[in-house]
Amino acid sequence: MSTPAASSAFDARPLIEPADRATVRAYVRDLRASGRAPASNIASRAVFAVLAVVAVLFVFGSTVIGVVGGMMTASGGGFSPFLIAPILVVIGVVAVLATALVRMFGARTGERWWRLDRFARANAMTWYPSVSNPPLPGMVFGIGHGRIASDVVRGERPRFVEFGNYMYRTGSGKNESTHRWGYVAVKLSTPLPNIVLDAVGNNSLFGSNLPAALDGSQRLSLEGDFDRTFTLYCPSGYEADALYLFTPDIMARFVDHAAALDIEIVDDWLFLYTPREASTLDPATWAWLFSVVAALLDKLAQWERWRDDRLAAPATGAAVPARDAAGSAALPFAAPAASLGPPPGVAPEGRRLRRRVPWAAIVVIGAALLLMLFGPLGVFASIIENLSN
């Protein structure tokens, strides 16, 4: 992407300028003809229309049928063509409403696509309607089923950056839940230890909003206002490495620009997570996210100089001099391999944080199941009986 090097130097006009309906419809037709429009979006609108028709038919149709039946009873059971008219009126109204709903939601979706596509092009980026099962290593991407990223906006320069909205489902049937995240993914030039910054400001009454429960023994306290803004987790044994990566100036960047975001470093990626949409039609959100990325980009070079000493090659004693094609020594000396330093990478113990069992959630779910199976009185009686014994 050509910017976010400057926090506000982006063109937001495609997000807010007037949209011509004919132009948008032609754009959507071309998008579908090219195969880029996600079929799931089209299917969801069709399902919505069918459900709307069924609901309206059930509510109004049953009422009209009851009225018609009453009229027939009052008239002695005789049938008159005029009695069918109300039913035909209801069917016509339902058809018109369903068509209007499909067109309304379709028009809104098409205009959103048109605006985001033009916004991406205006800022030297590329927009994708959806990406199924995005191959990203962040903690939110490997959970559940039905995983899909939507409205993905990617830039390639000065480094790969991706903005998107992500959804996955857990459970099934009546117990199925849908989870939504906005994210920014920044590609790094070298792998780093798995470090998580859990933003304090977006946590709930029950604790962290992150989908993974991390072992509390991996918490690392840093100086200043940082601990009041973030809870930092790093792999055991990597405390000194985390201090190298999070120098005071970098901590200040995160506190000043990313306090509302959860952050994860994993492999050679930096992820920023938000519970709201990251790829949106709101220019203010884009200005904020661009400013966050811009504030971090010029500090990433410092991170990419980090090396894991655990990967250092052991000293082998005498060095073997380099030789040319003829086999003779090319230099009168050669440095020991160990002095060259460890290669880029992370030792196995630093690649992933340890997870913990969320006992509080298990206790709550277990209590709810007991209440469902035995009822409040049954649970209370069971407790009294156990105490008496």
Side-chain angles (χ1 to χ4, degrees), residues 173-233:
K174 294 181 179 179
N175 297 320
E176 185 175 79
S177 299
T178 300
H179 309 266
R180 301 180 187 276
W181 291 89
Y183 71 92
V184 182
V186 182
K187 195 73 166 64
L188 307 175
S189 298
T190 189
L192 295 175
N194 187 195
I195 294 176
V196 168
L197 306 183
D198 182 4
V200 175
N202 62 20
N203 288 341
S204 68
L205 180 63
F206 301 100
S208 174
N209 68 329
L210 291 174
L214 302 175
D215 190 331
S217 65
Q218 302 168 112
R219 291 182 183 178
L220 177 63
S221 179
L222 299 181
E223 62 185 21
D225 294 334
F226 197 82
D227 283 353
R228 289 194 290 270
T229 307
F230 296 104
T231 301
L232 187 147
Y233 296 86

Side-chain angles (χ1 to χ4, degrees), residues 193-325:
N194 187 195
I195 294 176
V196 168
L197 306 183
D198 182 4
V200 175
N202 62 20
N203 288 341
S204 68
L205 180 63
F206 301 100
S208 174
N209 68 329
L210 291 174
L214 302 175
D215 190 331
S217 65
Q218 302 168 112
R219 291 182 183 178
L220 177 63
S221 179
L222 299 181
E223 62 185 21
D225 294 334
F226 197 82
D227 283 353
R228 289 194 290 270
T229 307
F230 296 104
T231 301
L232 187 147
Y233 296 86
C234 72
S236 299
Y238 280 79
E239 292 82 4
D241 303 274
L243 293 174
Y244 169 84
L245 296 172
F246 286 88
T247 55
D249 59 326
I250 290 181
M251 287 193 293
R253 293 290 179 100
F254 278 100
V255 170
D256 293 342
H257 297 274
L261 299 167
D262 296 300
I263 297 152
E264 181 181 20
I265 303 167
V266 55
D267 298 337
D268 51 354
W269 289 93
L270 168 67
F271 293 102
L272 312 175
Y273 303 126
T274 173
R276 59 189 177 112
E277 285 188 341
S279 184
T280 173
L281 298 182
D282 178 28
T285 298
W286 282 108
W288 169 51
L289 292 176
F290 269 51
S291 71
V292 173
V293 175
L296 301 180
L297 282 187
D298 63 346
K299 295 297 182 181
L300 295 184
Q302 177 179 334
W303 282 6
E304 290 163 349
R305 292 193 294 269
W306 174 85
R307 294 293 182 268
D308 193 341
D309 292 336
R310 299 157 189 80
L311 298 178
T316 57
V320 178
R323 296 184 176 275
D324 59 18

Side-chain angles (χ1 to χ4, degrees), residues 18-83:
D20 178 70
R21 291 186 178 180
T23 302
V24 172
R25 285 196 296 269
Y27 165 80
V28 172
R29 284 196 300 270
D30 292 341
L31 197 67
R32 290 175 178 169
S34 67
R36 293 182 64 200
S40 60
N41 187 278
I42 300 171
S44 65
R45 292 203 307 272
V47 170
F48 179 84
V50 171
L51 292 176
V53 170
V54 171
V56 174
L57 276 175
F58 179 79
V59 174
F60 290 96
S62 59
T63 302
V64 171
I65 290 173
V67 172
V68 171
M71 293 172 64
M72 292 179 64
T73 301
S75 63
F79 175 79
S80 170
F82 295 103
L83 297 178

